[in-house]
Amino acid sequence: MPRTYDYSLTADNMIQMALEDLGVIAPGITPTAAQSTLALRRLNVLIKRLQVNPRLQFKASRRRRVTLFLAEAQQTYAVGSTSVRATAQYGRTTIDAAEAIGQTVLSVTLTSDATTDPGTTFSMKAGDTIGIEQNDNAVFWSTITSRAVDDTVTIAAGLDVAAAVGRYVWWYTDVAPRFTDIESAVLRNSSNQDSEIAVYREARSYDVGVADKYADGTPTAILIEPLRTYTRVTLNSQPTVTTDLIVMTVLYPFEDYDSGTEEIVLPQECMALVEWELAFAVAPAFRAKWTKEMTDNRSMAWESAMSLEPETSDEYFQCGGN
């Protein structure tokens, strides 16, 4: 029998374990609907609290590369569920036959791309968002309605301006959600060459550091402001080259658990932490007695979780040094 390494638990599994630990239900008994609803609500609050706990990192499981597509003269972008310009995975190809204004059936070099996300192949499909670089250098955005493999793609709306052979085409399926933090950012040109750009995390530094905020040019810095439903990204200039992309290494928030059937997305090594933190969170609501043994189990779960991603540094202190 082959070995497996994909053990996981659903939100319902976690709720049952926590209630069993507290003695609210007997082992193997399914919680009532009311018990599950109460515990699921507290599980979501707990997960969001763990996300910002300074004793934990979870960076490896939250880290994503988000690509922001630029628009000429547009300085500010909203990255979130309603964003139409940011994604964690996209494909790129080119126009391979001249397309006239108003055209909806476009000839493309490829309908799949294995270069923008190494190790995977990303193919066009109906419903994807698609951007076409037109002859005026603006990117025209529409939706894919159908495709013929490595031949043509049909879009919902006709081009505003003609597009010559060799003009770029991008597509993606999912928009990037709001992110809570950023580690770094680069500007990627059409030749896939990157140059680092500065990241401001608070408005005052941006206001002081950027003298002319509405100048046309190539962005060299961005201001990141996580808001309630989206993250606002503000450039230090108004882009003039729409084939440039900003690629950000960001930290996603933990996912919501809208139903008990969804899998817990934290690393396997942190399952015990969620179990005992959930038990601790729901104990008052169920009038459950909290014991020393439970406290010990909770403490051990914290120790295990904190050792998962230890901090590393090139600098350290050593006793007796000069």
Side-chain angles (χ1 to χ4, degrees), residues 101-319:
I101 185 173
Q103 187 72 7
T104 58
V105 180
L106 310 177
S107 296
V108 292
T109 306
L110 295 169
T111 56
S112 295
D113 180 18
T115 61
T116 58
D117 190 8
T120 64
T121 299
F122 190 57
S123 300
M124 293 181 181
K125 62 180 182 296
D128 284 356
T129 299
I130 186 169
I132 301 96
E133 180 196 10
Q134 302 177 135
N135 290 345
D136 63 351
N137 299 323
V139 178
F140 176 79
W141 292 95
S142 185
T143 303
I144 295 175
T145 58
S146 64
R147 63 153 186 162
V149 175
D150 294 343
D151 184 14
T152 59
V153 58
T154 302
I155 61 177
L159 296 175
D160 284 341
V161 177
V165 174
R167 291 286 179 168
Y168 289 111
V169 176
W170 300 267
W171 76 93
Y172 60 86
T173 301
D174 298 318
V175 297
R178 164 188 175 269
F179 58 89
T180 57
D181 198 3
I182 183 170
E183 294 184 334
S184 63
V186 297
L187 186 75
R188 179 166 298 168
N189 64 21
S190 58
S191 299
N192 286 327
Q193 296 176 322
D194 294 344
S195 55
E196 187 175 5
I197 57 179
V199 176
Y200 291 96
R201 289 179 172 81
E202 56 100 18
R204 183 179 182 280
S205 296
Y206 173 83
D207 290 341
V208 173
V210 179
D212 187 352
K213 300 174 177 59
Y214 300 100
D216 294 333
T218 300
T220 58
I222 56 176
L223 169 65
I224 302 297
E225 297 174 288
L227 304 178
R228 189 177 70 85
T229 59
Y230 66 93
T231 299
R232 184 164 55 213
V233 180
T234 306
L235 314 182
N236 68 331
S237 62
Q238 300 182 129
T240 54
V241 180
T242 56
T243 55
D244 285 345
L245 310 172
I246 291 181
V247 181
M248 301 173 287
T249 301
V250 306
L251 298 180
Y252 274 10
F254 287 137
E255 298 175 10
D256 300 338
Y257 296 98
D258 299 317
S259 73
T261 59
E262 296 180 36
E263 290 188 354
I264 302 295
V265 297
L266 273 67
Q268 295 170 330
E269 296 84 355
C270 296
M271 294 301 180
L273 173 64
V274 178
E275 173 191 357
W276 285 103
E277 282 301 302
L278 180 59
F280 185 75
V282 301
F286 290 112
R287 306 291 194 272
K289 181 181 178 181
W290 191 259
T291 67
K292 180 182 183 304
E293 181 182 8
M294 294 175 182
T295 297
D296 291 342
N297 287 333
R298 185 183 179 213
S299 297
M300 285 189 292
W302 269 101
E303 291 175 8
S304 298
M306 288 189 296
S307 67
L308 177 62
E309 297 183 35
E311 294 183 357
T312 58
S313 175
D314 292 330
E315 297 181 359
Y316 60 92
F317 293 99
Q318 179 175 334
C319 294

Side-chain angles (χ1 to χ4, degrees), residues 1-16:
M1 184 175 180
R3 297 180 184 274
T4 61
Y5 304 91
D6 57 355
Y7 182 76
S8 63
L9 293 170
T10 66
D12 277 341
N13 296 149
M14 195 64 71
I15 288 169
Q16 181 161 351

